[in-house]
Amino acid sequence: MQRRAYLEAVVYRSVPRRDQDGNVQRGSDGSVAYGDPEKVTVKFWGRNAEVLRDLDLRQGDPVVATGTPGQPDAFISQHDGRAYARTVINGSTLQIDAIREA
């Protein structure tokens, strides 16, 4: 039985802050105010995983990931022993974010 290649990446998603009415909060200069980033797991299989493994991506590189929602990953925190779940994306693409890189 041949196994398919698999690659898993954890990326951070920027989430705008919202007020009690659900409106996006803005800073004094009018720009969107962001809260703490949310960790998201992006999973790739097959040829996509092989191609991404060959790229020279490093922790902290600004990337853009696309895909479809997957089943959340449940885990027990080693810090407080509580159960949590992380958003999962079944990845289609992962590339350098040229806007942030510039």
Side-chain angles (χ1 to χ4, degrees):
M1 179 171 119
Q2 187 175 5
R3 298 178 72 165
R4 286 182 16 167
Y6 174 75
L7 180 112
E8 183 174 299
V10 175
V11 299
Y12 289 90
R13 179 175 86 117
S14 298
V15 182
R17 279 195 199 124
R18 297 190 178 271
D19 61 21
Q20 292 177 338
D21 297 327
N23 299 316
V24 173
Q25 293 182 343
R26 299 204 172 265
S28 59
D29 63 353
S31 64
V32 174
Y34 289 95
D36 293 334
E38 172 190 350
K39 283 185 179 182
V40 176
T41 301
V42 186
K43 298 179 179 183
F44 296 91
W45 290 268
R47 184 73 180 126
N48 285 349
E50 292 171 6
V51 169
L52 289 170
R53 189 171 288 134
D54 290 340
L55 295 179
D56 191 24
L57 294 175
R58 309 263 183 204
Q59 182 175 343
D61 286 347
V63 297
V64 175
T66 66
T68 57
Q71 292 294 320
D73 279 342
F75 62 95
I76 304 294
S77 171
Q78 293 182 6
H79 296 289
D80 62 13
R82 297 177 63 191
Y84 293 92
R86 180 175 296 151
T87 301
V88 171
I89 301 296
N90 295 319
S92 298
T93 66
L94 182 82
Q95 58 197 14
I96 293 290
D97 184 349
I99 293 172
R100 296 224 179 180
E101 191 67 23

